[in-house]
Short mmCIF file of all heavy atoms in Angstrom, two decimals:
data_model
loop_
_atom_site.label_atom_id
_atom_site.label_comp_id
_atom_site.label_asym_id
_atom_site.label_seq_id
_atom_site.Cartn_x
_atom_site.Cartn_y
_atom_site.Cartn_z
N GLU A 85 -1.09 29.80 29.43
CA GLU A 85 -1.50 30.12 30.78
C GLU A 85 -1.17 28.94 31.69
O GLU A 85 -1.19 27.78 31.27
CB GLU A 85 -2.99 30.41 30.85
CG GLU A 85 -3.40 31.66 30.10
CD GLU A 85 -4.89 31.91 30.21
OE1 GLU A 85 -5.55 31.22 31.01
OE2 GLU A 85 -5.37 32.80 29.52
N SER A 86 -0.89 29.22 32.94
CA SER A 86 -0.57 28.16 33.88
C SER A 86 -1.83 27.44 34.35
O SER A 86 -1.74 26.34 34.89
CB SER A 86 0.19 28.73 35.08
OG SER A 86 -0.62 29.69 35.74
N ASP A 87 -3.02 28.04 34.19
CA ASP A 87 -4.27 27.42 34.64
C ASP A 87 -4.64 26.24 33.75
O ASP A 87 -5.32 25.32 34.20
CB ASP A 87 -5.41 28.43 34.63
CG ASP A 87 -5.17 29.57 35.61
OD1 ASP A 87 -4.34 29.37 36.53
OD2 ASP A 87 -5.80 30.63 35.45
N VAL A 88 -4.21 26.29 32.53
CA VAL A 88 -4.55 25.23 31.58
C VAL A 88 -3.58 24.08 31.79
O VAL A 88 -2.38 24.23 31.68
CB VAL A 88 -4.48 25.74 30.12
CG1 VAL A 88 -4.79 24.61 29.17
CG2 VAL A 88 -5.42 26.91 29.93
N VAL A 89 -4.13 22.92 32.10
CA VAL A 89 -3.30 21.74 32.30
C VAL A 89 -3.40 20.88 31.04
O VAL A 89 -4.49 20.44 30.67
CB VAL A 89 -3.77 20.93 33.53
CG1 VAL A 89 -2.94 19.67 33.68
CG2 VAL A 89 -3.73 21.80 34.76
N ARG A 90 -2.28 20.68 30.43
CA ARG A 90 -2.27 19.85 29.23
C ARG A 90 -2.22 18.38 29.65
O ARG A 90 -1.49 18.03 30.56
CB ARG A 90 -1.06 20.18 28.36
CG ARG A 90 -1.13 21.55 27.78
CD ARG A 90 0.01 21.78 26.83
NE ARG A 90 -0.06 23.11 26.28
CZ ARG A 90 0.79 23.58 25.40
NH1 ARG A 90 1.79 22.83 25.00
NH2 ARG A 90 0.67 24.79 24.94
N PRO A 91 -2.99 17.55 28.98
CA PRO A 91 -2.94 16.12 29.33
C PRO A 91 -1.59 15.53 28.93
O PRO A 91 -1.00 15.91 27.93
CB PRO A 91 -4.08 15.52 28.51
CG PRO A 91 -4.29 16.47 27.39
CD PRO A 91 -3.94 17.83 27.92
N ALA A 92 -1.13 14.61 29.77
CA ALA A 92 0.15 13.97 29.48
C ALA A 92 -0.02 13.07 28.26
O ALA A 92 -1.10 12.55 27.98
CB ALA A 92 0.59 13.14 30.68
N MET A 93 1.07 12.90 27.56
CA MET A 93 1.02 12.04 26.38
C MET A 93 0.79 10.61 26.83
O MET A 93 1.36 10.16 27.82
CB MET A 93 2.32 12.14 25.58
CG MET A 93 2.49 13.46 24.88
SD MET A 93 3.96 13.48 23.85
CE MET A 93 3.61 12.19 22.70
N PRO A 94 -0.04 9.88 26.10
CA PRO A 94 -0.27 8.49 26.48
C PRO A 94 1.01 7.68 26.27
O PRO A 94 1.85 8.03 25.43
CB PRO A 94 -1.37 8.03 25.53
CG PRO A 94 -1.28 8.95 24.37
CD PRO A 94 -0.79 10.26 24.92
N PRO A 95 1.18 6.61 27.04
CA PRO A 95 2.40 5.82 26.87
C PRO A 95 2.41 5.19 25.48
O PRO A 95 1.35 4.89 24.92
CB PRO A 95 2.29 4.75 27.96
CG PRO A 95 0.83 4.67 28.27
CD PRO A 95 0.30 6.05 28.05
N PRO A 96 3.57 4.99 24.94
CA PRO A 96 3.62 4.39 23.60
C PRO A 96 3.10 2.96 23.64
O PRO A 96 3.18 2.29 24.67
CB PRO A 96 5.11 4.43 23.25
CG PRO A 96 5.81 4.50 24.56
CD PRO A 96 4.89 5.25 25.47
N PRO A 97 2.55 2.49 22.55
CA PRO A 97 2.03 1.12 22.52
C PRO A 97 3.18 0.12 22.69
O PRO A 97 4.33 0.44 22.37
CB PRO A 97 1.38 1.00 21.15
CG PRO A 97 2.04 2.03 20.32
CD PRO A 97 2.40 3.15 21.26
N PRO A 98 2.88 -1.05 23.19
CA PRO A 98 3.95 -2.04 23.35
C PRO A 98 4.52 -2.43 22.00
O PRO A 98 3.84 -2.34 20.98
CB PRO A 98 3.24 -3.22 24.03
CG PRO A 98 1.80 -3.05 23.69
CD PRO A 98 1.58 -1.57 23.58
#
Side-chain angles (χ1 to χ4, degrees):
E85 295 181 9
S86 61
D87 297 340
V88 178
V89 178
R90 293 185 180 181
M93 289 185 61

